[in-house]
Amino acid sequence: MNQQIRRLGIAMLVLFSALFIQLNYIHVVSADRLNKHPANTRAVVRDFSAPRGVIQTADGVEIAVSEETGGEFQRLRTYPRGDLYGHITGYFSFTYGSDGLERVYNDALTGRSAKVRLDRLGDLLLEDKRTANVTVTIDDRLQQTAASALGARKGAVVALDPRTGAVLAMVDYPRYDPSPLSGHNRRQVEAAWNSLNQDPDRPMLPRAFRERYFPGSSFKVVTAATALATGTATTTQPVFPVLREIPLPQSEEPLRNFGGSACGGPLPEAMRVSCNTAFAQLGLDTGADKLSDGADKFGFGNEPPIDLPDPAESVFPDASAFENDLPGLAKSAIGQQDVSATPLQMALVAAGIANDGVIMTPHVMAEIRDDEGEVLERYDPKVWREAVPPEVARATRDMMVEVVDAGSGTRAQISGVQVAGKTGTAQTGLDTSHVWFIAFAPAEAPRIAVAVMLENQPSANEVTGGALAAPIARQVIQAALGGS
Amino acid sequence: MTRGTAISAVRRNTELGLMLLAGTITGGAYVLASLGRSASLPANLVPFLLFILALLAGAHLATRYLAPGADGILLPLAGLLNGIGYVFIARLDQDKAGLQSVWTAVGITAFVATLALVRRTRDIERYRYTFALAGLGLLLMPLLPVVGREIHGARLWVSIGALNFQPGELAKVALCVFFASYLVEKRELLMGTNRVGPFLLPETRHFGPILLAWGFSLVIMFFERDLGSSLLFFALFIALLWVATARPAYLAIGALMFSAGSLIAWTVFDHVKQRVDIWLDPWSVATGGGYQVVQALFALAAGNLAGTNLGQGSPERIPEVTTDFMFAAIGEELGLLGTVAVLGAFLLMVGAGLRIAMRAEPLFEKLLAAGLTFILGIQTFIIIGGVTRVVPLTGITLPFVSYGGSSLLSNYVLLALLLRISDDQAARQLAESRARDETRYG
């Protein structure tokens, strides 16, 4: 029997080894992944009653604070500016975890990041918990301007500094106030959460960076810049024939210009009036490989490395998708069919052109200071993508200036400031389109790049983008440049 | 009696030292947990420590007097696990902690009583059918109309007045005694006397009774929806059968029956299917059926290497944390180091138990020790495996650690029997060496 008992022992050893391996796997190997799992509210629970730093704008307006309340949870996270920064700060909820900056900078806000910790060794014996405060790059006045310009229309406004990638304003509609979600009354929090999530307008969705839309003609900036960069076209050649519609290879259906108008001419002219037939031809001439590659250079197909959770990547199909679908290529060249972009991505396109072809990494955090005001971390601007060579960027810029001066974007003109822009109207139905306007100013040394998008507006023609979206961009640019 | 001999002195002193260590660790952990939670010393610290010391001292004295030659590490390990479990229960639920201390006292009392009543292991060998009936009776109790109780979908409980207990826990020990005794007696017969082709088959009339008892137990457990116990029981029987007869055929048949049984259970019982689904993919039901497992995984991940420190995690978010998921709480607050330590403690206990089994000479004692150790080891594996997603979750307790009077009671009785067997062996060795000395010096 002893032999059997010995073997029984070995079997037990094997079983326990399996447990040991699994424990290592959970505790160590996949610990990080588990800790960051969206359903894991452990960090929030631990931090919910802990002191938490302040989030404030570049001009010192506090947008997230912890108020001492006493009681079981000791403090309540409140958002003094309500829904204006809802999508930026995110929410901070006992039951539902966190989003936005509350999630991304949680370690800093709770004083757990390495830099704060090193200082803490001294007060290890004291009960002190030192938190850090986050300052964002957003300017409150600009954010307000953008919000009131956007009004109650579904859409988004994104404004960046093309030189550094700093987000100057980012607002969308509809929005939500995160305050109810950080409440202490579980039933109320649940009710608020359910109400927000069941709202068909989806106020909790940050459309600015987490939702994609057909960019329409605003994508022509990418097409034009790519064509210039690859030598497919120059600002003088080719001269596109003036057409009302263009037949597409592999298809019976021709591609038409808006409202049946006829247009053509060299590239700057095609850009000025946003000529579909010319750009469709340009797209076919450039070819799927180069166009797809060009879009990738501008950031399509990549998640913008912004310091907010879950940014969506914009889509331009891989070249292989167009092998037997040249009509698709033509339509993609004018920003329809399979192209979709977030407002942030289009703002980055504008910023790239503005910054001599270099797209800087977008960021919301400006600096992190400890509770004595010492700077712990300052955001260091980094290059994200080198989209096009400087001379191509400048040529594209010149064309975009024309759009505003004498083309479809005249409603973005500001007296005394040269604005460069591009309108976009992406049909979504028989009578509706997403309307876009991307711009930067002042054209010769840009300090701000903007993308404005309005969802599903009643549309008639290309001018709609110029009529509805451009004025918003103008207001934002004026406020930014006028005040600075 | 082996009292006053060298070996018993060594073992009992080892035990004393280890008990003191276990007591210190438990006391220290208790203080740390309290500091971690509320930055203050626990209010009932002194009475608590005295109580623990009293229980540990009582148990140790019992072994000194009643089983002096017994292995010296089993009791301290059990005491340590019991202590750590208590610290965590106290950290989570003050009321349960009070009850658990009562149950611990009951358990230690049962430990002492078992050592006192069973002076020689072979004393209980004669009562095999009594044990069988007692075991089956205990298993059937929850099905009784008035006193039987269904809790969390399993009908395992009996209520008498304000007291709830699980007779099934004790039934396992009783039936283990029956199995060991029966198998030893019918051993050769079960090895097979009829040649059927290449196989040696046992005669049915020998196999019959035990098969009946076993089958009956399984059916009862199935009815009571106690899957963990069914599994444990099935495995115990096959293991004992194999150890007793050394016939690998029984292992093969057992594996086949297990597969068949699992398949049937999975098809017929909805809750079995649910459990397996949750085991395979808890994430898609993270807020529903998978919540418990998911929270346990999060707790373990939060613990990382050294834990979140006693009192500073959030194990209360795990449902049933004081019973089935105690291990996850330990994993959160003591980290990998803590869980591996607990695993190691159980492994050492299993090792000691099997060593006792190998050293014992009478076959009944061998088999009984092997069986009791097997119960301890497999139960630990089943529950830790369920918590860590190595196997689907079943509702059994972690021996000595989880909250539960019946569990503590039966595990202390189990422990006492192991120590009794160990002491018997020491006594036998002593008698042999004395006999040798006598013949030498005549």
Side-chain angles (χ1 to χ4, degrees), chain A residues 1-47 93-96 127 129, chain B residues 39 184 187 239 242-244 246 283 286 295 297-305 314-315 317-318 327 331-332 335-336 339-340 343 346-347 350 354 357-358 363 366-367 370 373-374 377-378 380-381 384-385 388-390:
Chain A
M1 253 193 234
N2 270 2
Q3 198 190 35
Q4 277 68 41
I5 295 176
R6 204 171 286 125
R7 288 188 186 159
L8 203 64
I10 294 174
M12 298 251 85
L13 197 62
V14 169
L15 288 177
F16 274 60
S17 305
L19 291 180
F20 176 70
I21 293 170
Q22 179 75 341
L23 280 174
N24 269 286
Y25 181 69
I26 300 175
H27 274 300
V28 181
V29 174
S30 46
D32 205 45
R33 181 177 58 87
L34 285 168
N35 281 328
K36 296 211 169 97
H37 197 276
N40 191 345
T41 57
R42 263 189 151 60
V44 178
V45 169
R46 179 189 61 207
D47 300 332
S93 165
F94 187 87
T95 331
Y96 301 106
E127 290 256 326
K129 276 203 174 163
Chain B
V184 164
R187 186 168 169 244
W242 174 63
V243 172
W283 302 109
Q295 287 303 320
L297 290 173
F298 286 155
L300 292 172
N304 209 250
L305 270 180
S314 331
R317 314 197 83 209
I318 310 167
F327 193 72
E332 179 173 4
L336 182 65
T339 48
V340 169
L343 201 64
F346 278 109
L347 197 59
V350 168
L354 290 179
M358 294 218 296
L363 291 179
K366 247 198 211 310
L367 204 56
T373 311
F374 186 81
I378 288 293
T380 304
F381 172 75
I384 295 183
T388 57
R389 267 187 84 206
V390 171

Side-chain angles (χ1 to χ4, degrees), chain B residues 7-239:
Chain B
I7 191 165
S8 46
V10 167
R11 288 187 176 171
R12 296 281 68 71
N13 288 336
T14 309
E15 190 179 80
L16 180 62
L18 289 174
M19 289 291 256
L20 285 172
L21 188 63
T24 312
I25 293 175
T26 305
Y30 192 63
V31 170
L32 279 174
S34 186
L35 281 175
R37 217 152 81 104
S38 56
S40 63
L41 292 176
N44 57 347
L45 180 60
V46 173
F48 165 74
L49 287 176
L50 288 175
F51 185 65
I52 289 285
L53 283 171
L55 285 176
L56 294 178
H60 177 64
L61 282 171
T63 56
R64 266 192 194 266
Y65 271 103
L66 297 169
D71 177 278
I73 67 164
L74 274 174
L75 185 60
L77 281 170
L80 179 66
L81 288 168
N82 199 350
I84 292 291
Y86 180 82
V87 168
F88 273 89
I89 295 170
R91 187 230 169 287
L92 288 161
D93 186 332
Q94 287 295 328
D95 296 328
K96 283 217 172 102
L99 283 173
Q100 182 77 339
S101 53
V102 172
W103 294 131
T104 309
V106 169
I108 303 256
T109 311
F111 175 79
V112 174
T114 311
L115 282 180
L117 286 170
V118 183
R119 281 323 185 94
R120 291 165 307 185
T121 325
R122 60 180 187 267
D123 288 346
I124 53 175
E125 194 176 356
R126 282 177 280 154
Y127 296 101
R128 72 173 74 100
Y129 291 108
T130 319
F131 275 101
L133 284 170
L136 289 174
L138 285 166
L139 279 180
L140 279 168
M141 273 177 83
L143 294 174
L144 293 175
V146 176
V147 288
R149 216 34 65 99
E150 185 173 312
I151 297 178
H152 291 140
R155 205 180 169 96
L156 303 170
W157 297 81
V158 165
S159 306
I160 296 185
L163 226 65
N164 283 347
F165 66 95
Q166 272 185 285
E169 295 275 349
L170 268 176
K172 279 179 240 173
V173 178
L175 286 166
C176 185
V177 175
F178 165 63
F179 282 163
S181 169
Y182 188 95
L183 285 171
V184 164
E185 197 195 298
K186 308 278 183 179
R187 186 168 169 244
E188 269 108 38
L189 299 163
L190 288 171
M191 286 197 217
T193 45
N194 298 340
R195 274 236 163 241
V196 176
F199 301 110
L200 270 174
L201 287 180
E203 285 179 51
T204 345
R205 66 185 162 104
H206 301 300
F207 218 168
I210 196 168
L211 210 57
L212 216 63
W214 175 58
F216 198 46
S217 322
L218 283 178
V219 167
I220 297 173
M221 286 174 183
F222 249 22
F223 261 107
E224 293 175 349
R225 300 254 195 114
D226 189 1
L227 297 172
S229 290
S230 309
L231 180 61
L232 180 60
F233 221 63
F234 180 91
L236 174 67
F237 182 66
I238 295 292

Side-chain angles (χ1 to χ4, degrees), chain B residues 195-344:
Chain B
R195 274 236 163 241
V196 176
F199 301 110
L200 270 174
L201 287 180
E203 285 179 51
T204 345
R205 66 185 162 104
H206 301 300
F207 218 168
I210 196 168
L211 210 57
L212 216 63
W214 175 58
F216 198 46
S217 322
L218 283 178
V219 167
I220 297 173
M221 286 174 183
F222 249 22
F223 261 107
E224 293 175 349
R225 300 254 195 114
D226 189 1
L227 297 172
S229 290
S230 309
L231 180 61
L232 180 60
F233 221 63
F234 180 91
L236 174 67
F237 182 66
I238 295 292
L240 284 178
L241 199 51
W242 174 63
V243 172
T245 60
R247 288 271 178 276
Y250 285 124
L251 279 180
I253 297 173
L256 262 162
M257 288 183 72
F258 176 69
S259 316
S262 312
L263 206 64
I264 295 173
W266 185 77
T267 338
V268 173
F269 292 108
D270 261 333
H271 69 280
V272 172
K273 190 167 193 309
Q274 263 177 356
R275 288 280 174 94
V276 174
D277 287 340
I278 292 172
W279 172 56
L280 290 172
D281 179 22
W283 302 109
S284 52
V285 282
T287 46
Y291 185 72
Q292 199 178 25
V293 176
V294 164
Q295 287 303 320
L297 290 173
F298 286 155
L300 292 172
N304 209 250
L305 270 180
T308 59
N309 294 318
L310 283 164
Q312 297 196 338
S314 331
E316 65 274 1
R317 314 197 83 209
I318 310 167
E320 301 305 318
V321 70
T322 51
T323 50
D324 302 343
F325 276 79
M326 182 58 80
F327 193 72
I330 295 176
E332 179 173 4
E333 300 206 330
L334 297 179
L336 182 65
L337 294 177
T339 48
V340 169
V342 169
L343 201 64

Side-chain angles (χ1 to χ4, degrees), chain A residues 217-469:
Chain A
S217 312
S218 60
F219 188 77
K220 287 171 183 162
V221 172
V222 177
T223 312
T226 305
L228 290 173
T230 56
T232 313
T234 66
T235 48
T236 49
Q237 292 293 329
V239 177
F240 296 97
V242 176
L243 297 170
R244 277 213 161 75
E245 60 184 42
I246 183 174
L248 296 172
Q250 301 174 353
S251 168
E252 304 271 303
E253 267 291 304
L255 193 147
R256 296 186 180 83
N257 288 312
F258 258 119
S261 57
C263 57
L267 191 54
E269 178 60 21
M271 183 83 118
R272 186 178 70 85
V273 299
S274 198
C275 185
N276 283 351
T277 51
F279 273 90
Q281 186 64 57
L282 186 63
L284 292 169
D285 291 344
T286 312
D289 283 321
K290 290 189 184 138
L291 194 53
S292 188
D293 190 54
D296 178 82
K297 285 201 165 78
F298 271 97
F300 282 75
N302 302 281
E303 258 181 40
I306 191 170
D307 48 352
L308 286 170
D310 308 321
E313 67 180 51
S314 304
V315 176
F316 189 91
D318 199 62
S320 55
F322 297 118
E323 256 170 40
N324 294 313
D325 185 22
L326 289 174
L329 178 61
K331 292 196 187 123
S332 298
I334 62 169
Q336 304 253 177
Q337 187 102 343
D338 294 315
V339 190
S340 59
T342 59
L344 175 64
Q345 175 64 62
M346 292 317 291
L348 288 166
V349 168
I353 302 293
N355 196 36
D356 281 342
V358 174
I359 305 182
M360 301 301 285
T361 305
H363 60 275
V364 180
M365 186 269 281
E367 58 186 21
I368 301 179
R369 288 175 184 259
D370 68 14
D371 50 18
E372 282 165 12
E374 292 288 310
V375 174
L376 295 169
E377 194 182 325
R378 193 167 270 139
Y379 191 92
D380 201 17
K382 291 186 282 288
V383 172
W384 181 36
R385 298 191 91 66
E386 294 184 10
V388 288
E391 57 279 8
V392 169
R394 283 195 281 270
T396 314
R397 177 197 63 192
D398 291 339
M399 292 194 278
M400 288 169 77
V401 167
E402 268 299 291
V403 171
V404 174
D405 277 350
S408 52
T410 51
R411 294 198 55 180
Q413 287 172 2
I414 301 175
S415 84
V417 179
Q418 184 76 74
V419 178
K422 180 73 190 77
T423 54
T425 307
Q427 271 196 298
T428 51
L430 213 50
D431 265 319
T432 57
S433 326
H434 295 326
V435 299
W436 293 79
F437 192 74
I438 64 175
F440 55 89
E444 60 282 0
R447 299 204 294 273
I448 180 169
V450 180
V452 175
M453 188 278 303
L454 295 170
E455 265 186 48
N456 288 320
Q457 297 295 309
S459 69
N461 52 34
E462 183 58 41
V463 186
T464 319
L468 297 174

